[in-house]
């Protein structure tokens, strides 16, 4: 019995030795794989940085090229145009340094604020994205910005707490520059007004949305008096009394 017991203990010890050997081999392979991956990432980062540095001016100047570069990087999980967090040298801060886009984004953000503030008196702090991009184009000249640039820049304005946000209303993007929220009825009114060129009446809402006249009147008056999102035309030659939703109207300036 003692001899058999010895054999059993020896077999158990050999099994344990085999497990330890496999564990050591696994750790060795894992370390090798990690080192290899780090080496590949370092090479890839260097190649991407070289490309970005070489084409930096074109990335800043050409919206189409900037979009294509951003999409290429997004496919591999990199946001080359993002700013760092709080000025720290994270991935965004490193990319901003390589591309020289930190000041570019800051300048764009200041221009967005300038346009939103200067047009707030007439549109109540809600401007259509296409209109904002158009006004930015006039302000910036050849260095135009795209909707994608505006969205990214607005994200950097959030710490200001001024309510800057991109909204999707009726399938179109709009930029809000005030802290107040749009209620459901206001979103519906904006969507309908876009179809009618900005002019809307209580009867339009009754006919198109089956609202009661009291609901239509209350919602339009709130947009007029409380929120300043529309103008009132009491001498409309065709409709008598109509409201103009300024944020969906086109302005030639």
């Amino acid at each position: 019995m003692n001899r058999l017991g010895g054999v059993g203990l020896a077999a158990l010890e050999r099994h344990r030795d085999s497990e330890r050997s496999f564990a050591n081999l696994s750790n060795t392979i894992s370390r090798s794989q990690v080192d290899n991956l780090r080496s590949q990432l370092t090479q890839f980062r260097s190649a991407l940085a070289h490309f970005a540095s070489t084409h930096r001016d074109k990335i800043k100047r050409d919206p189409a090229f900037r979009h294509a570069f951003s999409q290429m990087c997004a496919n591999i999980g990199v946001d080359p145009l993002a700013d760092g967090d709080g000025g720290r040298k994270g991935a965004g801060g490193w990319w901003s340094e390589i591309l020289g886009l930190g000041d570019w984004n800051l300048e764009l953000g200041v221009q967005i604020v300038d346009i939103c503030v200067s047009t707030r008196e007439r549109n109540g702090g809600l401007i259509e994205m296409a209109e904002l991009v158009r006004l930015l184009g006039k302000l910036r000249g050849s260095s135009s910005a795209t909707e994608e640039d505006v969205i990214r820049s607005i994200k950097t304005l959030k710490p200001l707490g001024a309510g800057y946000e991109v909204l999707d209303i009726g399938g179109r993007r709009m930029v809000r520059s005030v802290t107040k929220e749009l209620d459901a009825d206001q979103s519906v009114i904006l969507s309908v007004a876009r179809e009618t060129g900005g002019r809307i009446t209580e009867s339009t809402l009754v006919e198109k949305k089956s609202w009661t006249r009291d609901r239509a009147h209350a919602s339009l008056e709130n947009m007029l008096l409380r929120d300043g999102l529309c103008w009132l035309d009491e001498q409309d030659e065709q409709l008598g009394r109509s409201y103009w939703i300024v944020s969906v109207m086109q302005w030639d300036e």
Side-chain angles (χ1 to χ4, degrees):
M1 291 294 291
N2 291 337
R3 186 162 55 87
L4 292 174
V7 172
L9 291 173
L12 179 61
E13 188 62 30
R14 286 196 300 273
H15 178 69
R16 288 176 176 173
D17 288 340
S18 296
E19 286 185 336
R20 283 193 290 267
S21 296
F22 280 121
N24 291 333
L25 178 61
S26 176
N27 290 335
T28 301
I29 294 175
S30 296
R31 284 195 296 269
S32 176
Q33 289 175 334
V34 170
D35 291 341
N36 184 46
L37 180 59
R38 284 176 176 169
S39 176
Q40 291 180 13
L41 288 175
T42 299
Q43 293 176 9
F44 174 76
R45 174 170 167 161
S46 298
L48 195 58
H50 176 72
F51 177 87
S53 179
T54 302
H55 299 281
R56 177 171 56 187
D57 291 339
K58 190 172 183 180
I59 291 173
K60 294 170 65 175
R61 184 181 65 255
D62 187 340
F65 190 82
R66 184 166 61 249
H67 173 75
F69 178 71
S70 179
Q71 288 297 110
M72 178 188 71
C73 293
N75 290 334
I76 56 175
V78 176
D79 186 355
L81 304 181
D83 287 327
D85 183 11
R88 294 176 299 183
K89 286 286 184 179
W94 182 77
W95 276 110
S96 292
E97 182 179 348
I98 291 294
L99 294 173
L101 286 172
D103 292 340
W104 189 89
N105 269 329
L106 179 61
E107 178 189 17
L108 179 61
V110 170
Q111 291 169 339
I112 289 172
V113 171
D114 182 42
I115 291 173
C116 288
V117 171
S118 64
T119 59
R120 189 177 294 165
E121 184 175 348
R122 72 180 186 217
N123 60 30
L126 189 67
I127 184 171
E128 195 161 359
M129 176 67 80
E131 176 68 1
L132 176 57
V133 170
R134 186 184 73 84
L135 293 176
L136 281 170
K138 295 185 68 174
L139 187 64
R140 296 173 63 85
S142 59
S143 181
S144 58
T146 65
E147 290 190 10
E148 185 180 71
D149 297 326
V150 172
I151 291 171
R152 183 177 292 103
S153 185
I154 285 177
K155 288 180 181 178
T156 68
L157 297 177
K158 280 194 173 182
L160 297 178
Y164 287 86
E165 186 177 1
V166 178
L167 307 174
D168 190 311
I169 300 176
R172 288 195 181 183
R173 289 170 172 167
M174 305 194 76
V175 176
R176 186 183 66 195
S177 60
V178 290
T179 54
K180 57 191 174 188
E181 296 281 346
L182 289 177
D183 60 39
D185 283 358
Q186 289 174 335
S187 296
V188 171
I189 291 173
L190 285 168
S191 181
V192 174
R194 188 177 294 109
E195 299 172 0
T196 59
R199 183 171 64 175
I200 194 168
T201 65
E202 295 173 13
S203 297
T204 303
L205 294 171
V206 171
E207 294 171 4
K208 288 182 173 290
K209 296 299 177 181
S210 300
W211 284 9
T212 64
R213 190 163 292 276
D214 286 342
R215 178 182 178 183
H217 177 75
S219 296
L220 287 169
E221 286 296 302
N222 280 338
M223 292 185 73
L224 173 68
L225 302 175
R226 184 189 67 191
D227 302 319
L229 292 174
C230 63
W231 293 345
L232 174 64
D233 184 358
E234 294 185 299
Q235 299 180 347
D236 191 307
E237 296 181 356
Q238 295 179 330
L239 304 174
R241 178 185 173 93
S242 61
Y243 298 82
W244 288 90
I245 311 299
V246 189
S247 57
V248 297
M249 296 166 57
Q250 295 296 319
W251 298 85
D252 294 325
E253 296 185 354

